[in-house]
Amino acid sequence: MPYAHITGWGMAVPEPVLTNDDLAKIVETSDEWIRDRTGIRERRIARENEFPSTLGVEASIQALKVANLRPTDLDLIICTSSSPEYFFPATACLIQDQLGATKAGAFDLLAACTGFIFATNMAAQAIRSGSIKNVLVVGTETLSRFVDWKDRNTCILFGDGAGAFVLQASDQPGGVLSAVMHSDGSGGDSLSLPAGGARLPATEATIHEGKHFIHMDGKEVFRFATRVMGRAATEALELAGMTTEDIQWIIPHQANYRIIETAAKYLKMPLDKFIINVDRYGNTSTASIPIATVEAAQKGQLKPGDKVVFVGFGAGLTWGALTAQWTGPLPVKRHVHPEQYRWFARVRSFFRRIIRIIEGIFFRREL
Ligand code: COA
């Protein structure tokens, strides 16, 4: 049975920075309050021309570069987002098209902020089954578009960004070692985006009542998160036959510094074993774990051979953890430039649209 190795990683964040002081000009809050309660100092906000797909593509190109893979080498793209570009088509399909990953199947997976753990596990399982070799997993968000900028309970928390992993099959032991996935739909109300779906389609009233924004019972989510995080990490470790002694790093979902602190206490681990960057990006939902991972890899904290636990929680409610032995790129001779495919992809996409229009005209004539 092949092993599923994480061989590429990339991230993209928008340039514009929104500080706590900037927020204090919009809602009744302060830098001190936000830092004390969440650990967040600033977050990135997407420009008008930035979307989950464009940020996702940037992160993916980096990840493909690290893995030394061409977009056309990909068999599968799984995108996970709490702020997808559309209901459908899937953001994964937009990324597939923009990358020029012509041989890849692509779909979205929705598990809110736990999405990246669920998606990475699904990618690893597909590789372990032997049916595919190369998978791209993308977590990407422009949550700023779903935040009520008048609601100080939520608008201080979220930020935009994207992160991506490439997973590849190899006979060498290592890579993803274990994973646990949990859900409890009975808690769905505590964090939701109430309108826009089939239950509450968009109307003037839903817009007027602010139901297209994120709604959250902060205290309830805090209680849930502190309850499940340490437990999920322990479960995944046990499944891999490891203890906290065996691992070099924990990479948690970056929602709130205090939640991470509680998990550290539960696991009896020092906080310096946790990769934390919530202060600079806020909660980027599905992108938070890969962004933290990429920064740790780029700084040289995360090294090949290190054992690591990824752990997250989110709306649904969902939570989960995944253990992995960090690999790094598999040895290959060629050097590829995945960004060059972007131009081919644009031209190809344009011509495919024209062909579909022409086909449509002829098809109608035949009828
Ligand atoms: N600035 C200043 N005051 C604020 C505020 C803000 N941004 N947001 C809320 N407050 C006020 C509240 O209105 C409340 O005032 P009141 O006592 O007069 O009613 C007071 O601060 C305390 O609010 P409370 O909700 O008890 O604060 P808290 O300590 O629970 O912290 C959160 C609030 C949101 C930071 C915290 O509950 C949290 O992080 N929850 C988890 C959220 C999360 O991670 N969501 C994403 C999951 S993926």
Side-chain angles (χ1 to χ4, degrees):
M1 200 171 22
Y3 292 88
H5 290 264
I6 301 166
T7 60
W9 47 88
M11 63 174 272
V13 287
E15 253 175 50
V17 174
L18 186 73
T19 64
N20 292 346
D21 286 332
D22 295 332
L23 273 168
K25 290 176 198 149
I26 311 173
V27 286
E28 209 183 315
T29 190
S30 66
D31 176 47
E32 197 191 352
W33 193 96
I34 301 173
R35 271 193 290 112
D36 280 1
R37 303 286 172 116
T38 69
I40 300 167
R41 282 192 291 119
E42 58 188 41
R43 67 288 291 143
R44 302 298 181 95
I45 304 294
R47 295 192 196 91
E48 266 179 30
N49 62 351
E50 285 175 314
F51 305 101
S53 69
T54 57
L55 291 170
V57 164
E58 256 184 76
S60 302
I61 285 174
Q62 273 183 29
L64 287 165
K65 252 186 173 171
V66 173
N68 235 325
L69 280 191
R70 302 182 186 102
T72 46
D73 293 326
L74 291 171
D75 302 306
L76 177 66
I77 299 173
I78 309 178
C79 177
T80 178
S81 178
S82 306
S83 52
E85 205 138 319
Y86 306 105
F87 252 137
F88 53 86
T91 307
C93 292
L94 307 180
I95 292 173
Q96 179 264 342
D97 180 50
Q98 289 173 44
L99 281 176
T102 45
K103 293 181 193 140
F107 69 91
D108 281 5
L109 178 152
L110 176 58
C113 301
T114 325
F116 202 80
I117 286 178
F118 280 29
T120 303
N121 185 32
M122 290 297 98
Q125 296 300 329
I127 287 173
R128 300 276 286 160
S129 78
S131 62
I132 55 174
K133 287 197 160 61
N134 303 322
V135 189
L136 175 71
V137 180
V138 190
T140 182
E141 304 289 353
T142 52
L143 277 164
S144 58
R145 313 247 157 95
F146 298 96
V147 159
D148 181 354
W149 291 103
K150 291 191 202 95
D151 176 13
R152 66 177 183 174
N153 289 300
T154 51
C155 75
I156 57 155
L157 298 176
F158 299 101
D160 299 335
F165 281 178
V166 168
L167 279 85
Q168 283 186 268
S170 160
D171 294 333
Q172 291 296 314
V176 175
L177 303 172
S178 69
V180 291
M181 305 193 292
H182 292 295
S183 301
D184 176 8
S186 74
D189 285 356
S190 53
L191 184 52
S192 67
L193 205 152
R199 176 66 70 112
L200 217 51
T203 60
E204 270 182 42
T206 59
I207 293 169
H208 187 67
E209 289 159 17
K211 295 211 162 131
H212 295 271
F213 294 129
I214 296 168
H215 285 241
M216 186 185 72
D217 178 341
K219 273 201 190 330
E220 186 56 39
V221 176
F222 192 92
R223 269 196 296 272
F224 148 69
T226 48
R227 207 171 51 236
V228 298
M229 241 184 150
R231 264 196 246 159
T234 309
E235 274 179 65
L237 280 168
E238 279 172 11
L239 211 57
M242 298 193 290
T243 69
T244 48
E245 309 264 295
D246 299 309
I247 54 166
Q248 279 67 48
W249 299 106
I250 294 223
I251 307 188
H253 171 43
Q254 313 282 317
N256 183 316
Y257 188 81
R258 289 192 295 146
I259 294 175
I260 298 172
E261 253 180 351
T262 315
K265 270 190 207 133
Y266 178 96
L267 293 166
K268 300 190 178 65
M269 286 180 75
L271 264 172
D272 58 15
K273 285 233 172 188
F274 285 69
I275 304 289
I276 304 175
N277 63 7
V278 67
D279 55 324
R280 283 176 293 120
Y281 301 117
N283 179 347
T284 55
S285 190
T286 60
S288 89
I289 288 177
I291 289 176
T293 309
V294 171
E295 288 201 336
Q298 285 174 351
K299 278 187 205 153
Q301 288 174 294
L302 188 55
K303 294 188 240 2
D306 281 358
K307 295 204 174 108
V308 57
V309 180
F310 304 96
V311 57
F313 60 90
L317 299 165
T318 54
W319 65 102
L322 183 141
T323 69
Q325 183 160 26
W326 194 246
T327 310
L330 298 178
V332 276
K333 289 196 187 85
R334 58 164 196 226
H335 278 283
V336 300
H337 302 283
E339 68 272 43
Q340 288 174 351
Y341 281 73
R342 233 168 157 175
W343 295 103
F344 294 130
R346 270 188 204 157
V347 174
R348 182 185 148 272
S349 186
F350 174 75
F351 280 112
R352 286 192 80 119
R353 268 164 227 234
I354 305 252
I355 287 166
R356 264 197 305 279
I357 292 168
I358 295 168
E359 274 176 355
I361 294 166
F362 280 110
F363 184 63
R364 244 183 314 222
R365 270 203 201 139
E366 275 171 30
L367 284 177

